[in-house]
Amino acid sequence: MDSQVGPYLNSKALCSPLGAARLCQLALGCAVISMVTHSAGYSGSQGVFCMAAWCFCFAVSVVVFFVDATRLYSCLPVSWDNLTVTCAAFATLLYVTASVVYPLFFVRSECPYEGCDVRNFRIAVTICSILATLAYGAEVALCRARPGQAVVGYMATVSGLLKVIQGFVACIIFGALANGSEYSRYAATIYCAVVYAFCFALTAVVVMMTVCGQTRAVRCMPFDRFVVVCTLLEVLLYLSASVVWPVFCFDSKYGSPWRRSPCTWGACPWDSKVVVAVFSFINFGLYVADLVYSQRLRFISSHVPTNLRM
């Protein structure tokens, strides 16, 4: 017999600001996918990315809402609070990207050959995508740990959220590296690619340890100190890559400081090199901010969920 007192369904999954944010995510995500498949349409790699991002976020939101409403999270071998805020942060980044890419490639002021209805649907898709971004951002804000609060759910802290952004930026770097960046031309640029991959893997390990509730797996040091050590290593590695990559890509001795004119947009090695350089500096700044914040972080390991759901 189940000894838990109270209803089987979690009323807070509906009657709470967090529940309202998730319902908005479901409604807006359903609206976006329906309008795109009905009339707005999508094509090319940009359209496929946007559609994949919307479908992935919608599927994750459905699973999160269902599991939270039925209290099935108690059967999962994960830290539910860390998992949900990680998913919400990642979905926010995906929706932000899709909300920029879709109108940039598919929305025009004049009516396309399909008619003005298609243009209007695409505008509506963009608006709903932006609103869904705000809904996911609201979930992150509601779950974020407040200053002075005892930290149990690491992913709800600024440091944990920065880990998600760092991983997302690293994925952009990998995409640019694979898009004809010619990174295998020099040993130095290969070193930079290895740095990006190693730092991404190290960040993923920290996130997975937290989501799986294995924060006591590091026996030689506390988890918060382990995070600081990893972040400091990543800062140093990204600092070296942020210096080496521009030198070997844009110095006239090794590469080209200017974009050559007969170079197709979207398939130009110089463009990919610029993207890698820019986002390398962005991720370096994110790791520095993460390191600064981690100095004040004191993580409390506990087997008790961070939010007591009645």
Side-chain angles (χ1 to χ4, degrees), residues 154 157-164 166 203 206 227-228 230-232 234-235 283-297:
Y154 170 74
T157 66
V158 174
S159 181
L161 297 175
L162 284 173
K163 287 286 187 291
V164 179
Q166 292 158 10
T203 300
V206 173
V227 171
V228 171
C230 292
T231 307
L232 177 59
E234 291 162 335
V235 167
N283 233 6
F284 171 69
L286 291 173
Y287 278 112
V288 170
D290 189 3
L291 181 63
V292 172
Y293 183 84
S294 298
Q295 293 297 308
R296 300 178 297 164
L297 184 65

Side-chain angles (χ1 to χ4, degrees), residues 163 165-174 177 191-203 230-246 275-288:
K163 287 286 187 291
I165 302 175
Q166 292 158 10
F168 187 81
V169 172
C171 290
I172 298 176
I173 293 176
F174 295 148
L177 287 173
Y191 161 78
C192 293
V194 172
V195 166
Y196 301 140
F198 176 79
C199 292
F200 175 78
L202 196 57
T203 300
C230 292
T231 307
L232 177 59
L233 178 60
E234 291 162 335
V235 167
L236 296 176
L237 289 174
Y238 254 93
L239 175 61
S240 63
S242 299
V243 173
V244 171
W245 181 267
V275 172
V276 172
V278 170
F279 282 94
S280 179
F281 280 110
I282 291 175
N283 233 6
F284 171 69
L286 291 173
Y287 278 112
V288 170

Side-chain angles (χ1 to χ4, degrees), residues 71-268:
R71 302 181 191 271
L72 290 177
Y73 51 80
S74 59
C75 303
L76 301 177
V78 297
S79 174
W80 180 246
D81 295 319
N82 283 314
L83 177 62
T84 54
V85 72
T86 302
C87 292
F90 187 66
T92 303
L93 295 173
L94 285 177
Y95 258 94
V96 167
T97 307
S99 299
V100 173
V101 171
Y102 190 81
L104 186 64
F105 286 92
F106 295 96
V107 177
R108 298 290 182 270
S109 58
E110 66 278 2
C111 296
Y113 66 90
E114 297 95 340
C116 291
D117 288 341
V118 174
R119 181 200 62 182
N120 295 337
F121 269 107
R122 291 177 176 177
I123 294 175
V125 166
T126 303
I127 294 174
C128 289
S129 182
I130 294 173
L131 293 176
T133 303
L134 298 177
Y136 282 104
E139 179 176 352
V140 174
L142 290 170
C143 297
R144 187 176 68 85
R146 301 297 185 268
Q149 179 180 349
V151 180
V152 178
Y154 170 74
M155 296 307 300
T157 66
V158 174
S159 181
L161 297 175
L162 284 173
K163 287 286 187 291
V164 179
I165 302 175
Q166 292 158 10
F168 187 81
V169 172
C171 290
I172 298 176
I173 293 176
F174 295 148
L177 287 173
N179 190 28
S181 64
E182 301 176 345
Y183 71 90
S184 60
R185 188 174 181 181
Y186 300 107
T189 51
I190 294 177
Y191 161 78
C192 293
V194 172
V195 166
Y196 301 140
F198 176 79
C199 292
F200 175 78
L202 196 57
T203 300
V205 167
V206 173
V207 173
M208 291 302 298
M209 287 177 60
T210 307
V211 171
C212 295
Q214 300 298 323
T215 55
R216 293 184 178 180
V218 185
R219 301 182 182 276
C220 60
M221 65 183 73
F223 180 74
D224 50 355
R225 187 177 180 184
F226 172 73
V227 171
V228 171
V229 170
C230 292
T231 307
L232 177 59
L233 178 60
E234 291 162 335
V235 167
L236 296 176
L237 289 174
Y238 254 93
L239 175 61
S240 63
S242 299
V243 173
V244 171
W245 181 267
V247 170
F248 280 83
C249 289
F250 305 117
D251 188 271
S252 57
K253 182 179 178 180
Y254 304 102
S256 174
W258 309 106
R259 189 179 191 274
R260 295 185 177 91
S261 54
C263 199
T264 306
W265 288 102
C268 184

